[in-house]
Structures are given as structure tokens and as C-alpha cells.
Amino acid sequence: EDQVTQSPEALRLQEGESSSLNCSYTVSGLRGLFWYRQDPGKGPEFLFTLYSAGEEKEKERLKATLTKKESFLHITAPKPEDSATYLCAVLRISEGGSNYKLTFGKGTLLTVNP
Amino acid sequence: GAGVSQSPSNKVTEKGKDVELRCDPISGHTALYWYRQSLGQGLEFLIYFQGNSAPDKSGLPSDRFSAERTGGSVSTLTIQRTQQEDSAVYLCASTSGPSYNEQFFGPGTRLTVL
């Protein structure tokens, strides 16, 4: 069974204090790993897709990296507006081979204080 | 352009009643997904529609849950004989192709079963 574990569950940072969020996974036949941001009362908003170990992607203050067992979301010099829940999800082909399965972690709640 | 929309935004119902939740995907998106997000839990996959193919219903938790997608566009998720454990936020997402493309989420419907 696919498992996606995100840590920490919650993280509180001061503005400008860089840190990393972790997403460790156990999945057979990974086809991609997604990062989403979710603000309270809203649906998740896509950030990145990573497809293979060693891949990195950046967007503003965020950088996502991928290894064979985990992904990190690095936040450099965060601002209060970066406060949100960050979700990761892993994608694999379903048992029948006809569909893809996306399994989400429970998320990390990030709070950035001014 | 318009994003994914869902209605109602909030629904309060009594235990045992049936409810219908609606999702309007982004125009032209062929794939549509329903997820459930309970407090403190990750997004739980419910059902997946891709074009004219048979839907992947493997995530539906019981036979009280059903969904349809009419004309390859609007989708309705129906929960019959609601139970208190059905209380959650129900999210809909759509993509322009297979699920390895980024999914665009709606704002969700918060269902409360009294």
C-alpha cells in the first residue's frame, strides 16, 4: 500500500528564517511527486511536479527536490504570505494499468510570523 | 478564465438524508476527480472520470456514495443516507489530460451531518 508521510506536522518560522519540509514515500512504480499549497477554506493550488530522482524545481522562495525515498520543499527567507498547508502527493499506475493513482500526505502547516 | 467551481460551498444536513454535491470543471478538461478531506487527514481519493472511459470508483468508501458525470462536463457526487462520519470537505479537481498533469482544484463543499 502506498504511504506518504509528511514532517513536521506543523512548523512555525520567523520571517526570513529558512527551513525545509519533508515528504517521505513508499510507492511501487513512482510516476511523479506533486507539491501543492492549500490556504484555509480553499482547494489545493499546484506548485511543482518532480518526475525523477535528482530533479529540482524552483518558484520564488520555494525549491523542491526529489530522491528515491523522499522529497524536500525548501523555503528560503519565508514571508508571512507563505503561511499555508503544504501537501505532497505521489503518483503511480494503478493495479490494472489503466489509471493513475494519486496519494496525498496529511500536509505540513507552515506559519511564518512577521 | 474560470476555474473549477463547486456548489454548495457549505451543506448542513441531518443524519439519514441524501445530499448532492456539484462540480463544474474547467472547460475542456477531460479528467475529473473527487476527493474527501477530513479534519487532520490527507486528501482521500474517491472517484475519477477520464473522458468516455468507465470511471475508477475504487476510492468510494461505501455503496452509499455514487457519482456521475454528464456530457463529459459537470459532475454530481451523491451521498445517500448520510452518516456523521461523512462530515468532511469534498473537493473536486480537473485536468486537461491524464492524472500526471497538474490537477486544478475547486474550493470544496463543506458537508456537516448532524
Side-chain angles (χ1 to χ4, degrees):
Chain A
E1 184 177 328
D2 301 342
Q3 288 194 350
V4 181
T5 304
Q6 292 190 246
S7 61
E9 293 184 5
L11 180 63
R12 189 177 295 271
L13 300 173
Q14 289 298 122
E15 185 172 3
E17 180 186 2
S18 301
S19 188
S20 297
L21 312 182
N22 178 263
C23 172
S24 61
Y25 60 89
T26 304
V27 62
S28 175
L30 180 75
R31 288 292 183 268
L33 186 141
F34 295 74
W35 281 98
Y36 283 84
R37 167 190 171 129
Q38 187 173 24
D39 293 298
K42 296 187 177 181
E45 176 186 348
F46 172 80
L47 292 174
F48 304 107
T49 308
L50 301 167
Y51 292 104
S52 58
E55 188 175 1
E56 298 184 352
K57 288 192 176 174
E58 290 188 62
K59 179 180 181 180
E60 297 181 354
R61 294 177 292 283
L62 302 176
K63 183 170 79 171
T65 61
L66 180 65
T67 72
K68 290 186 178 179
K69 295 183 178 180
E70 59 191 347
S71 176
F72 291 94
L73 184 65
H74 306 278
I75 303 176
T76 302
K79 298 182 178 181
E81 54 261 42
D82 294 323
S83 297
T85 296
Y86 290 85
L87 303 170
C88 78
V90 295
L91 182 74
R92 65 164 175 84
I93 295 179
S94 64
E95 287 78 15
S98 59
N99 290 324
Y100 290 84
K101 289 286 189 183
L102 194 62
T103 303
F104 281 83
K106 294 182 181 181
T108 293
L109 175 61
L110 174 66
T111 303
V112 182
N113 295 316
Chain B
V4 177
S5 61
Q6 293 187 244
S7 60
S9 55
N10 281 283
K11 177 71 176 179
V12 180
T13 190
E14 293 180 349
K15 178 181 174 181
K17 301 282 189 181
D18 298 351
V19 296
E20 285 190 353
L21 312 180
R22 177 187 168 105
C23 172
D24 283 88
I26 293 173
S27 177
H29 278 192
T30 57
L32 186 148
Y33 307 79
W34 283 98
Y35 295 90
R36 179 169 69 176
Q37 188 173 34
S38 303
L39 190 63
Q41 301 298 315
L43 272 74
E44 175 189 5
F45 165 77
L46 297 177
I47 188 168
Y48 161 54
F49 296 90
Q50 173 61 56
N52 295 320
S53 302
D56 177 353
K57 304 179 182 180
S58 60
L60 295 178
S62 77
D63 58 8
R64 295 186 296 104
F65 288 72
S66 63
E68 62 178 22
R69 188 177 185 194
T70 55
S73 181
V74 172
S75 177
T76 302
L77 177 69
T78 301
I79 309 174
Q80 296 178 309
R81 305 181 302 282
T82 52
Q83 304 294 313
Q84 288 185 333
E85 59 263 30
D86 298 335
S87 297
V89 176
Y90 290 82
L91 290 159
C92 171
S94 70
T95 77
S96 59
S99 60
Y100 49 77
N101 291 347
E102 65 172 281
Q103 296 186 15
F104 293 85
F105 282 83
T109 293
R110 180 174 297 279
L111 175 66
T112 303
V113 182
L114 301 177

